Amino acid sequence: MIKSYAQAIKDVTAEEMRRDEKVFVMGEDVEVLGGIFGCTRGLADEFGVDRVRNTPISEAGFVGAGLGAACCGMRPVVELMYMDFALVALDQIVNQVAKTRYIFGGKARIPLVIRGQQGVGRGNAATHSQSLEVLFTHFPGLKVAMPSTPEDAAGLLRTAIRDDNPVVFIEHKALYVNKGQVPDDPNFMIPFGKAKVVREGTDCTVIATHTYVQKAVDMAEKLWKEEGISVEVIDPRTLVPFDKETVLNSVKKTGRAVVVHEAHRVCGIGAEIASVIQEEAFPYLDAPVIRLGAKQCPLPFNLGLENAVVPQPQDIYDAVKKALWLK
């Protein structure tokens, strides 16, 4: 069935709420508005306001309430209007959500999903456009998912909701309107820690997240047509757990790697991926690993300036040629 990214998220949430009465949604404007991108629109009509709960503008408060509900046996899906707002609740997420199961010796279950969107594309400026995934990967106890297609959004979200551990489920605002095939199966799940080889190739590996997956595929097709260069594109899909085997096997085959993401290049997730490649596949490398990410400045409001800060498709094209010593 063809669905948009946003529709896939909404449908899986509804299906899981029908399947398990312990699943409920909470967040700012989730009841009538359905969130600013409509991912919960209409759910209150079916499930009522007890299970689709509007919250005050206090991320620390309702993330903490979600943790408490999870500790008591519920399965909350907490929506952050912007992933940037997780910074307001970082103490709850890092010091409470991530550590509670550990503190109780593994006896506590924390089936909590914290989902929200991030990224550029709408001119939302410095405090509403950040890509913060690397923050959550740093703290043990959190799983981190970053779907790039409607199918992956559906399969990974269902896995997240059914998981007994806290999951930070990071969407992208520019992907919500994208459409794709989604299995019509109420039990369709994608396991965490399993990357997807989106395009096979032999000359260079490109590891990309969110919107850069399709941009990498587009540039791979262009490189093949114009230069005869065969590029393999990998979407990790989850950063914690991270499927390093798929990445390493690809790099061992191609001998070259480019990592591209929208987050700032300095200390971004690309640095960790590059480190893993360097430590565990160094003898196979024919060139240094190249990292692409946003320049080290706040995200601008102006769309032209925004594009000047984050990597563009041509940057991927040029990076692959550089990895092949062709530029």
Side-chain angles (χ1 to χ4, degrees):
M1 183 180 298
I2 301 296
K3 295 182 180 181
S4 71
Y5 189 95
Q7 187 69 42
I9 291 168
K10 174 184 171 181
D11 287 352
V12 167
T13 304
E15 288 164 3
E16 289 302 293
M17 291 177 75
R18 295 184 195 112
R19 185 188 66 86
D20 185 350
E21 63 181 11
K22 295 179 180 179
V23 178
F24 74 98
V25 175
M26 63 192 300
E28 296 161 351
D29 290 334
V30 297
E31 181 190 326
V32 177
L33 183 63
I36 57 174
F37 292 96
C39 291
T40 60
R41 189 171 296 147
L43 294 185
D45 295 335
E46 178 177 354
F47 300 103
V49 296
D50 284 342
R51 296 184 67 194
V52 184
R53 305 178 71 92
N54 273 353
T55 66
I57 304 175
S58 175
E59 284 76 14
F62 63 77
V63 169
L67 170 61
C71 289
C72 292
M74 302 297 287
R75 306 189 81 89
V77 178
V78 174
E79 178 178 306
L80 297 174
M81 190 174 285
Y82 287 83
M83 196 54 69
D84 309 70
F85 300 165
L87 299 177
V88 182
L90 207 56
D91 178 61
Q92 289 284 4
I93 296 171
V94 169
N95 285 328
Q96 308 302 326
V97 173
K99 296 178 173 62
T100 295
R101 189 163 194 173
Y102 171 81
I103 289 170
F104 284 91
K107 296 179 181 179
R109 297 191 308 163
I110 315 296
L112 169 64
V113 177
I114 301 171
R115 53 162 293 267
Q117 54 78 29
Q118 66 178 25
V120 303
R122 288 165 50 95
N124 290 148
T127 61
H128 293 70
S129 302
Q130 299 168 96
S131 295
L132 301 174
E133 63 270 13
V134 74
L135 286 179
F136 308 111
T137 65
H138 182 72
F139 298 101
L142 300 173
K143 296 184 178 182
V144 182
M146 291 182 67
S148 64
T149 67
E151 179 181 22
D152 289 348
L156 291 172
L157 181 58
R158 185 173 282 109
T159 301
I161 292 173
R162 297 187 187 185
D163 201 304
D164 284 338
N165 298 282
V167 178
V168 180
F169 194 87
I170 305 175
E171 300 149 22
H172 195 290
K173 59 172 63 72
L175 292 174
Y176 282 125
V177 297
N178 288 9
K179 293 184 178 181
Q181 191 72 36
V182 178
D184 189 17
D185 178 359
N187 289 303
F188 169 64
M189 300 170 69
I190 294 174
F192 284 7
K194 184 61 178 176
K196 177 167 63 176
V197 179
V198 183
R199 185 186 191 277
E200 295 187 353
T202 56
D203 295 329
C204 184
T205 300
V206 175
I207 303 104
T209 58
H210 269 169
T211 58
Y212 286 96
V213 176
Q214 187 57 51
K215 292 174 184 176
V217 171
D218 293 343
M219 289 301 100
E221 297 292 341
K222 184 178 179 182
L223 281 159
W224 176 250
K225 291 177 182 178
E226 295 181 356
E227 308 280 352
I229 297 171
S230 176
V231 176
E232 184 148 295
V233 179
I234 295 177
D235 178 2
R237 301 199 286 195
T238 62
L239 300 182
V240 180
F242 179 72
D243 181 6
K244 69 177 182 179
E245 286 75 18
T246 295
V247 171
L248 292 173
N249 288 338
S250 177
V251 173
K252 288 176 181 178
K253 176 177 65 174
T254 66
R256 297 168 173 86
V258 174
V259 189
V260 56
H261 52 65
E262 192 176 289
H264 295 295
R265 181 179 180 274
V266 175
C267 295
I269 193 63
E272 177 64 21
I273 296 172
S275 179
V276 169
I277 294 170
Q278 186 274 141
E279 289 175 358
E280 302 193 34
F282 181 77
Y284 299 88
L285 287 174
D286 295 318
V289 179
I290 296 174
R291 294 182 291 132
L292 297 176
K295 295 178 174 64
Q296 198 66 2
C297 68
L299 278 303
F301 167 73
N302 178 277
L303 288 174
L305 293 176
E306 185 181 77
N307 286 334
V309 170
V310 300
Q312 296 302 301
Q314 186 64 39
D315 295 324
I316 302 172
Y317 187 99
D318 293 342
V320 171
K321 293 191 68 175
K322 182 178 180 181
L324 288 160
W325 308 106
L326 297 175
K327 188 175 178 64

